[in-house]
Amino acid sequence: MTDANPSAGETHLIVGIGDVGTALGRLLVAAGHRVVGLRRDAARIPAPIEALAGDVADPAGIPPLPGDVDVVHYLVAAGGRDPELYRRAYVTGVANTLAALSAAGASPRRFVFVSSTAVYGQADGGFVDESSPTEPADHRGEALLEGERLVAESSASSCSVRFAGIYGPGRFRLIESLVEGRATCRADPPEWTNRIHRDDCAGLLAHVADLEEAPPVLVGVDDEPAPRCEVLDWLAAEIGAASPGRRTDATVGRANKRCDNTLLHGIDYELIHPTYREGFVGVIEDWRHNGTR
């Protein structure tokens, strides 16, 4: 599972090409691949990525797909928390994409599905990895798991990458919550958080596509699960804001877990931003130049 087999000149289809997908597409183009991106607003897909307009939630809204697709990257976002939006994005959309590929006569060698650590319902602060039980706490994880199953049952070699909180350029939510005095956290017991930088999302997806043998599921997080208070205190010091307020409630958050990325290192992916400290340096700089304060 550690042997990479880069094949320049392949055709990659990125379904749901937004921020992460665009970063991925640029990496793939730089590596010598043909990249086709699909989203509802095709005008937002930058060259030299080939643009297709379509909505995978509507089978009639999917344009003809290339018949020579070698790798599919499915990065569709739900666009909201409503259960129906999740099913449209991660169940209906996946089924429609697989049907459209079949209709095009495409036989991709790999299908990479972007999932989430929401498939884990554990909330006791313990560690989870690819072998941990998946017992989602709500409809989000349930829809993602169903999408993972559909991809696993397809004819392509598949990998479902379970990302945790994605951060990066233009994502200023935590910083703005500190600046506006809205940020709070609970120190005892700690609220464990997990994350991965946008650039590592793109890099990991490109790496998985090139593996000769990919794992069926992969936890995509950085090297350091961290208590929410620790992250916010560090950010506050870096930007000169007040530390977040401390809560004393005993409620355990549904996302209170620590994600183990041992397998990520086992497939020889080298993180660009191993912890939030390295990753947030660029985000803070971006916020200072482009954010609102």
Side-chain angles (χ1 to χ4, degrees):
M1 224 164 11
T2 60
D3 292 333
N5 182 30
S7 303
E10 289 193 316
T11 297
H12 289 245
L13 172 66
I14 303 177
V15 181
I17 181 168
D19 181 36
V20 174
T22 297
L24 169 62
R26 286 174 170 148
L27 285 179
L28 294 170
V29 168
H33 299 293
R34 175 195 179 201
V35 181
V36 180
L38 173 67
R39 66 180 295 169
R40 280 176 291 195
D41 184 2
R44 298 177 66 182
I45 301 174
I49 299 169
E50 298 176 33
L52 287 178
D55 180 0
V56 293
D58 176 9
I62 303 178
L65 301 180
D68 62 346
V69 173
D70 297 292
V71 181
V72 178
H73 305 265
Y74 192 90
L75 286 80
V76 173
R81 291 183 172 269
D82 184 81
E84 182 55 30
L85 290 176
Y86 265 77
R87 286 200 62 81
R88 283 171 59 86
Y90 301 116
V91 182
T92 305
V94 171
N96 289 341
T97 298
L98 290 169
L101 288 165
S102 178
S107 299
R109 65 172 180 82
R110 178 144 304 145
F111 196 120
V112 184
F113 176 70
V114 170
S115 186
S116 163
T117 55
V119 301
Y120 300 110
Q122 292 86 333
D124 60 358
F127 280 93
V128 297
D129 62 14
E130 293 79 6
S131 65
S132 299
T134 49
E135 299 171 349
D138 60 20
H139 66 273
R140 298 178 304 149
E142 291 171 355
L144 286 159
L145 268 185
E146 193 166 345
E148 287 187 13
R149 285 193 289 269
L150 287 173
V151 171
E153 292 168 358
S154 72
S155 59
S157 163
S158 68
C159 179
S160 292
V161 184
R162 296 168 177 171
F163 286 130
I166 299 173
Y167 71 106
R171 298 173 188 245
F172 306 138
R173 180 180 58 84
L174 282 183
I175 293 174
E176 290 175 347
S177 72
L178 285 164
V179 172
E180 296 167 7
R182 296 182 288 103
T184 64
C185 62
R186 188 190 62 221
D188 187 24
E191 301 171 288
W192 289 99
T193 62
N194 308 269
R195 59 191 48 77
I196 186 167
H197 193 279
R198 188 276 313 272
D199 292 347
D200 275 311
C201 291
L204 182 58
L205 294 174
H207 185 78
V208 166
D210 268 348
L211 289 176
E212 190 170 316
E213 181 184 351
V217 295
L218 179 64
V219 173
V221 297
D222 69 18
D223 288 341
E224 191 174 326
R228 176 176 167 84
C229 283
E230 177 185 304
V231 176
L232 289 173
D233 283 344
W234 183 89
L235 271 174
E238 290 293 310
I239 65 174
S243 293
R246 261 47 174 184
R247 302 195 318 273
T248 58
D249 62 274
T251 304
V252 177
R254 63 185 177 189
N256 191 39
K257 55 184 172 285
R258 285 176 277 181
C259 297
D260 183 335
N261 71 354
T262 299
L263 183 55
L264 178 150
H265 290 289
I267 61 171
D268 295 331
Y269 180 71
E270 184 174 347
L271 287 161
I272 303 166
H273 305 289
T275 78
Y276 66 86
R277 297 174 193 85
E278 294 90 355
F280 267 114
V281 169
V283 179
I284 292 169
E285 189 68 19
D286 184 24
W287 168 73
R288 284 179 172 146
H289 286 90
N290 302 309
T292 56
R293 287 179 287 174

